[in-house]
Amino acid sequence: MEAAVQLFAANSFDNTSVRDIAKAADVNVAMISYYFGSKEKLLEAIFTKHVTTIRTKLEEIVFASDMAPEDKIGHIIDTYIDAIAANRNFHLLMVREQGVMKNQVLYESVRSMKTKNSMLLKSAIKAGAKTGIFKKNVDVTILALTVFGTINQAFNTRRYLCEQYRIAPDNEEEFLKLVIPRLKAHLKTIVKSYLLVQESDK
């Protein structure tokens, strides 16, 4: 699966053969067919694995009973960004495949992920509104678009950001060290400013 993600991200799904994957993973072609059935099913398994992993992490944050609502929002932002940073090839693959999305199962998987992420964010915000910390009637759909869209855009335009912060394009460590903390802090400030009840709101 790891070999497939790397090849799909680098060459696209259509331009990668099962034989290419078998060679990169140092396994027999028949083994891929035995475990996954086809290249399409392998791609579906990859999406399911990654989507389930990030969803589980977000659910743990949202339903944690020992965490304040504003801290949950911060942890959601951190977790989503860290997940993309740790799985750049999958993120690149997801962005690329969303552009064509010929596989109905993948479309449903991505749609489900976006819906679930938005629902989890809404749940965390509702909990904060219930305690009087967050404003009521927040447009969660637009807020989710702001948060997840900004994060995705930051990674999709990594080269441009490297130019802006004078980082060598291939210096991944410096990008993660300099840009990612700024991205996290910026989003947390914006989101909390939007959500938190101010004196003028009372």
Side-chain angles (χ1 to χ4, degrees):
M1 290 174 76
E2 290 177 5
V5 168
Q6 291 179 4
L7 290 173
F8 290 158
N11 307 322
S12 85
F13 175 77
D14 288 336
N15 292 325
T16 301
S17 68
V18 174
R19 193 172 296 279
D20 293 332
I21 298 168
K23 183 178 179 181
D26 194 24
V27 299
N28 192 292
V29 173
M31 185 177 289
I32 296 176
S33 297
Y34 176 78
Y35 282 105
F36 300 101
S38 66
K39 188 175 70 167
E40 288 73 16
K41 292 295 181 183
L42 172 56
L43 182 60
E44 290 172 16
I46 289 169
F47 265 72
T48 299
K49 174 179 176 283
H50 284 275
V51 168
T52 301
T53 298
I54 184 62
R55 180 181 297 170
T56 299
K57 290 179 179 179
L58 294 179
E59 286 176 343
E60 288 175 356
I61 295 169
V62 172
F63 299 118
S65 58
D66 58 345
M67 196 182 300
E70 60 266 41
D71 292 333
K72 289 184 179 182
I73 299 300
H75 279 294
I76 287 173
I77 292 171
D78 285 342
T79 299
Y80 193 78
I81 291 176
D82 289 341
I84 293 179
N87 299 281
R88 292 287 300 282
N89 283 326
F90 173 72
H91 180 255
L92 179 59
L93 166 63
M94 184 171 71
V95 170
R96 174 176 285 152
E97 290 305 313
Q98 279 188 91
V100 292
M101 205 52 76
K102 293 181 289 187
N103 187 311
Q104 184 64 24
V105 174
L106 292 189
Y107 170 77
E108 290 299 332
S109 179
V110 172
R111 187 182 68 81
S112 175
M113 179 188 71
K114 290 181 177 180
T115 301
K116 186 65 175 180
N117 287 347
S118 183
M119 288 174 60
L120 288 171
L121 189 60
K122 187 173 185 177
S123 180
I125 293 171
K126 272 190 172 182
K130 204 171 185 179
T131 61
I133 297 174
F134 293 158
K135 299 171 185 174
K136 296 179 180 179
N137 303 318
V138 170
D139 191 331
V140 180
T141 300
I142 295 299
L143 181 61
L145 186 67
T146 301
V147 174
F148 301 122
T150 300
I151 294 171
N152 290 333
Q153 179 69 2
F155 281 98
N156 292 343
T157 58
R158 177 183 175 281
R159 182 175 178 179
Y160 171 77
L161 289 176
C162 284
E163 291 175 358
Q164 295 300 304
Y165 289 102
R166 303 180 190 280
I167 302 171
D170 59 346
N171 194 332
E172 180 76 7
E173 183 179 349
E174 195 65 19
F175 175 77
L176 295 176
K177 180 181 177 182
L178 182 64
V179 178
I180 296 306
R182 292 181 183 223
L183 176 63
K184 289 180 177 180
H186 177 72
L187 277 175
K188 289 176 188 176
T189 298
I190 287 178
V191 173
K192 289 182 180 179
S193 176
Y194 174 60
L195 289 177
L196 291 174
V197 172
Q198 309 294 333
E199 284 297 323
S200 58
D201 298 321
K202 296 178 180 178

